[in-house]
Amino acid sequence: MSSPGDGDVSRRALLMKLGIVFNGIVAAILAVPLVRYLLSPVSHGRKGAYQSWFALGELEQFPAGQTRLATYVNPVVNLWDGMTGDVACWVRNIDGKKFQVFAVNCAHLGCPVRWFPQSGLFMCPCHGGVYYQDGSRASGPPERGLFEHHYKLENGKLWIKAGEMPTPGMVSGIATGKPPCA
Ligand code: FES
């Protein structure tokens, strides 16, 4: 014979189980980005995205003796990163055969530098950093020249190692043969 409180107990037990299941589902959903983040170095390394080459465009887009802005999509980003995956760089065609591809970010604190063809200088709007056309430091707070991407010319296109972001450890002055600015 059931007592009047039996229905409450079984209802409470059922709600408790439903609560545990619901919390488990929510916890699993919330854990997905965390697990993906923790495993990203392995998964990205497996895909080789860091080592991938990206075609910046046809060589005609970068006339000899000029410096032009180009963009590419960072191969390491996720689909939902949207426009934040677009990366800009400055392409300098030295003589039609030798190029320099500079990271757009200032070597001081990373503001995007702009190219001024009239003066032949890259200038940073944040703290007045200035660079010569070959990317070497001219004046201001930056302690070194602009970072450079590795590049290659293939099938009439200019390619850069897009996943490998330029850092102080990389060789600078790739085209000019200059040692890294210290
Ligand atoms: S970020 Fe360019 S000079 Fe400071």
Side-chain angles (χ1 to χ4, degrees):
M1 186 172 171
S2 61
S3 64
D6 283 352
D8 287 344
V9 171
S10 63
R11 192 179 312 131
R12 193 176 301 137
L14 176 66
L15 289 175
M16 177 74 83
K17 285 177 185 169
L18 282 175
I20 291 171
V21 170
F22 179 74
N23 284 333
I25 291 170
V26 171
I29 291 171
L30 293 178
V32 168
L34 180 64
V35 172
R36 281 184 59 96
Y37 169 74
L38 292 174
L39 295 178
S40 61
V42 178
S43 60
H44 285 147
R46 193 171 56 236
K47 288 178 204 162
Y50 286 107
Q51 296 299 317
S52 61
W53 289 88
F54 183 88
L56 277 183
E58 306 287 335
L59 290 180
E60 300 86 66
Q61 292 176 234
F62 309 106
Q66 293 192 26
T67 298
R68 294 269 174 95
L69 187 68
T71 58
Y72 63 92
V73 178
N74 187 341
V76 185
V77 296
N78 295 303
L79 281 176
W80 50 85
D81 287 329
M83 290 187 68
T84 60
D86 293 342
V87 184
C89 59
W90 289 105
V91 177
R92 177 186 179 218
N93 183 339
I94 299 172
D95 57 7
K97 292 178 187 147
K98 284 186 178 176
F99 286 72
Q100 285 183 290
V101 183
F102 302 109
V104 77
N105 305 97
C106 179
H108 179 221
L109 294 178
C111 290
V113 298
R114 283 195 59 195
W115 167 246
F116 290 85
Q118 303 87 347
S119 54
L121 296 169
F122 292 99
M123 296 192 199
C124 177
C126 290
H127 313 105
V130 182
Y131 305 85
Y132 295 115
Q133 63 176 353
D134 66 354
S136 58
R137 177 188 175 275
S139 66
E143 295 183 352
R144 52 154 295 144
L146 292 172
F147 294 105
E148 283 186 56
H149 287 279
H150 287 287
Y151 77 91
K152 66 178 179 181
L153 308 179
E154 207 170 85
N155 300 327
K157 292 181 179 172
L158 173 65
W159 301 74
I160 61 166
K161 237 180 190 175
E164 185 183 60
M165 296 306 289
T167 62
M170 282 180 61
V171 176
S172 183
I174 294 167
T176 57
K178 288 183 180 174
C181 305

